[in-house]
Amino acid sequence: MGGARDADAGRPLPVEAAEIAAGYDFTGPALELGALLWGGECLADAQIRVPLPMLNRHGLVAGATGTGKTKTLQLIAEQLAAQGVPVFLADIKGDVSGISAPGEAGDKVAERAADVGQEWEPTGFPSEFYALGGIGTGIPVRATITSFGPVLLSKVLQLNQTQEQSLGLIFHYADQKGLELVDLKDLRAVVTFLTSDEGKPELKGIGGLSTVTAGVILRALTAFEAQGMGDFFGEPEFDTSEFLRLAPDGRGLVSVLELADVQDKPQLFSTFLMWLLADLYNDLPEVGDVEKPKLVFFFDEAHLLFNGASKTFLQAITQTVRLIRSKGVGVFFVTQTPKDVPADVLGQLGNRIQHALRAFTPDDQKALRATVRTFPDSAYDLEEVLTGIGTGEAVVTVLGEKGAPTPVAATRLRAPESLMGPVEPGALERAVRASVLYPRYAEAVDRESAYEKLSAREAERAAASEAPPSRGRGGGGGSVVEQVVGSGMFKSLLRSMGTQIGREISRSVFGTARRRR
């Protein structure tokens, strides 16, 4: 690469620029990010790339609002899909659906392509569109309460550590007794039962549940449901292996989770994204280092995940991110500054694309200096570069083919080849309805679960208490308890509960239930 030349000037690259460019001269398959910026010039012969096998070593796309982060993840997603790697994207602002349609040519695109040495061709990519709980346009994505688990649910309900532990106790009881928690009314029924005169003895052996804490949990559930969030929990539960599919032509499917209609519920959608990732981690086998990832998962607005997170929650995130790469999954966090991501997680993000930062206030300047310290030593004055680069430009360092960090490179990024904006609503709706997955997940199902079982038990108890004493042989009358225990429905309930004794649901570090295939 030392002999590479600037296409415009026909002269050798400056020594420092040549050394940087040499760090990106990979021999294997790679994604093309853009061209090197040096001395105020864009050097089209000095291409900045990231090796395809290193995409499961995780990454960070950061930068201030309006600096081009969304277009960067679109650019990376396109190239991954083209090389047969499925991609998951969270579309919070509603402007990523355009990845399914060819881009529109124009002067700005042509100028960018010429600057960076890109042969731009309008291309759409095979896509599926999803919506949490069916709120918005997309295939409904739901989780059961049992699967979601107590740690993630505590984050959504904004419970403190003591309340989170109590919720974990409730899940433990329900798991043991075969009281499946499908939706919110199931969980509310179990909490209500455990705080009743009949249910209180059930928890004495495993720590008990205070009436005050139960009341807090019940109120949080009620408020949560009142905000219209009950639709996110239920059946059919989404199978995250759907994200791993390829299109018939061999390209990776791009799964776009449309979140524009729930962007005012950040605690919910950010935690739901973590459930999707945790579910993948639970189910996928170990594969070690692979030639290309099985999936790359873009976690947009990542700071929302960490805000107000408990110590347990942060530990679970750290462990999941650390271990999921051995299952062939790469995770890219998308946020404003590296300080939005805890240090233990940030240290695992080997591929870094940092867009411009603002430095208008003392806090901005502090964040800028902190960001610069997270980069390797470089030939640039990074404080100056990060406040001076334009939209669609970034400071890049990735892991090379041998796993070592590449030199820091200021980069003018390529233009996405798909539509840089949303597709029109009618086209989006037609794409959703045409999906082979739509009939599988479209309609919610409310089968028998904890609420129905406990309601039936209460009905039997009430009926038995109102019935006249029966006379058995010898003229003796059975007690109310004997009548309830002897009833067919209660025996059925006990059989159902008994089938789970000794095989409690296996849960991950997040408390999510492992899927039974």
Side-chain angles (χ1 to χ4, degrees):
M1 291 294 290
R5 294 181 176 270
D6 182 336
D8 294 327
R11 62 180 184 273
L13 295 175
V15 174
E16 298 93 334
E19 290 175 351
I20 294 171
Y24 293 86
D25 188 17
F26 309 126
T27 58
L31 275 59
E32 306 289 342
L33 297 179
L36 181 68
L37 290 170
W38 184 264
E41 294 184 74
C42 182
L43 309 178
D45 281 353
Q47 290 293 306
I48 304 304
R49 313 159 75 217
V50 54
L52 183 61
M54 291 295 116
L55 267 295
N56 73 330
R57 301 294 183 94
H58 310 319
L60 177 73
V61 178
T65 301
T67 55
K69 297 191 299 295
T70 300
K71 300 302 178 284
T72 297
L73 67 89
Q74 189 171 341
L75 171 68
I76 297 172
E78 289 177 353
Q79 295 189 56
L80 286 167
Q83 299 202 46
V85 178
V87 177
F88 172 89
L89 298 174
D91 185 8
I92 294 173
K93 296 184 288 289
D95 57 357
V96 180
S97 60
I99 197 168
S100 63
E104 297 175 347
D107 292 342
K108 288 186 177 180
V109 169
E111 182 181 356
R112 173 62 61 111
D115 281 347
V116 301
Q118 177 184 9
E119 295 181 7
W120 188 88
E121 183 177 344
T123 309
F125 294 83
S127 303
E128 292 274 22
F129 299 97
Y130 300 93
L132 286 187
I135 296 178
T137 304
I139 299 160
V141 174
R142 306 179 188 89
T144 64
I145 294 289
T146 285
S147 176
F148 205 72
V151 177
L152 293 176
L153 190 60
S154 294
K155 178 75 160 54
V156 169
L157 297 177
Q158 300 182 47
L159 303 181
N160 64 29
Q161 185 173 353
T162 300
Q163 293 154 2
E164 179 182 325
Q165 292 169 347
S166 295
L167 187 62
L169 192 64
I170 293 164
F171 271 78
H172 175 74
Y173 172 80
D175 290 351
Q176 281 194 323
K177 299 299 183 181
L179 293 171
E180 194 167 0
L181 307 175
V182 172
D183 50 27
L184 291 176
K185 71 177 185 300
D186 289 322
L187 180 57
R188 190 165 50 244
V190 172
V191 177
T192 301
F193 168 73
L194 290 173
T195 55
S196 68
D197 290 340
E198 183 185 6
K200 284 178 182 177
E202 295 283 337
L203 281 182
K204 283 186 177 178
I206 51 174
L209 177 67
S210 77
T211 304
V212 173
T213 300
V216 171
I217 294 172
L218 284 172
R219 287 193 295 275
L221 288 171
T222 301
F224 186 72
E225 198 163 19
Q227 296 173 41
M229 300 191 193
D231 291 338
F232 303 111
F233 297 100
E235 290 182 321
E237 181 173 73
F238 186 73
D239 185 345
T240 51
S241 67
E242 310 284 12
F243 294 150
L244 305 177
R245 294 179 300 136
L246 300 178
D249 62 5
R251 290 186 294 174
L253 268 177
V254 180
S255 297
V256 182
L257 183 62
E258 296 291 343
L259 295 171
D261 289 294
V262 294
Q263 61 179 303
D264 60 335
K265 301 174 175 63
Q267 289 280 351
L268 176 70
F269 72 68
S270 62
T271 311
F272 227 101
L273 292 179
M274 198 65 231
W275 173 75
L276 295 172
L277 194 60
D279 194 66
L280 286 163
Y281 169 72
N282 290 346
D283 290 350
L284 291 175
E286 295 279 341
V287 294
D289 291 326
V290 289
E291 293 183 359
K292 61 183 179 182
K294 297 173 70 173
L295 174 72
V296 175
F297 191 105
F298 288 90
F299 210 124
D300 206 357
E301 300 292 344
H303 66 282
L304 298 172
L305 180 68
F306 303 110
N307 287 350
S310 68
K311 184 178 180 181
T312 302
F313 190 84
L314 291 175
Q315 288 173 341
I317 293 173
T318 303
Q319 185 170 347
T320 301
V321 172
R322 179 182 298 121
L323 299 178
I324 201 169
R325 82 169 184 86
S326 67
K327 300 193 174 191
V329 176
V331 183
F332 273 71
F333 291 98
V334 184
T335 189
Q336 293 205 1
T337 72
K339 72 181 182 64
D340 293 335
V341 181
D344 287 346
V345 176
L346 187 64
Q348 300 176 56
L349 310 183
N351 302 299
R352 302 276 301 279
I353 302 174
Q354 176 69 57
H355 288 266
L357 289 173
R358 312 302 181 208
F360 300 137
T361 70
D363 284 346
D364 290 341
Q365 293 166 359
K366 183 178 179 182
L368 174 62
R369 289 191 292 271
T371 297
V372 169
R373 287 197 297 271
T374 66
F375 279 90
D377 292 338
S378 78
Y380 295 95
D381 180 341
L382 286 183
E383 286 194 29
E384 180 179 341
V385 170
L386 285 173
T387 54
I389 54 177
T391 300
E393 298 175 346
V395 171
V396 174
T397 179
V398 302
L399 293 181
E401 290 174 310
K402 295 182 179 180
T406 58
V408 175
T411 306
R412 180 163 295 161
L413 298 165
R414 292 185 169 216
E417 295 184 333
S418 57
L419 183 64
M420 289 187 279
V423 297
E424 64 95 14
L428 184 60
E429 181 68 33
R430 288 190 294 274
V432 171
R433 298 278 178 172
S435 170
V436 296
L437 300 183
Y438 187 76
R440 192 178 307 169
Y441 295 106
E443 296 298 324
V445 177
D446 188 11
R447 64 177 174 84
E448 184 185 58
S449 48
Y451 172 80
E452 287 78 14
K453 289 178 180 179
L454 291 171
S455 295
R457 178 174 178 174
E458 180 61 28
E460 281 285 339
R461 183 173 179 274
S465 65
E466 294 172 2
S470 61
R471 295 185 179 275
R473 284 181 296 180
S479 69
V480 170
V481 173
E482 288 170 339
Q483 292 174 48
V484 173
V485 172
S487 70
M489 188 169 292
F490 189 55
K491 288 179 178 178
S492 175
L493 174 66
L494 287 179
R495 283 196 298 272
S496 174
M497 293 167 68
T499 58
Q500 293 290 330
I501 302 297
R503 61 181 187 95
E504 182 182 352
I505 292 174
S506 177
R507 293 190 173 275
S508 73
V509 291
F510 260 112
T512 56
R514 299 184 187 277
R515 192 185 302 275
R516 291 197 180 105
R517 301 287 184 193

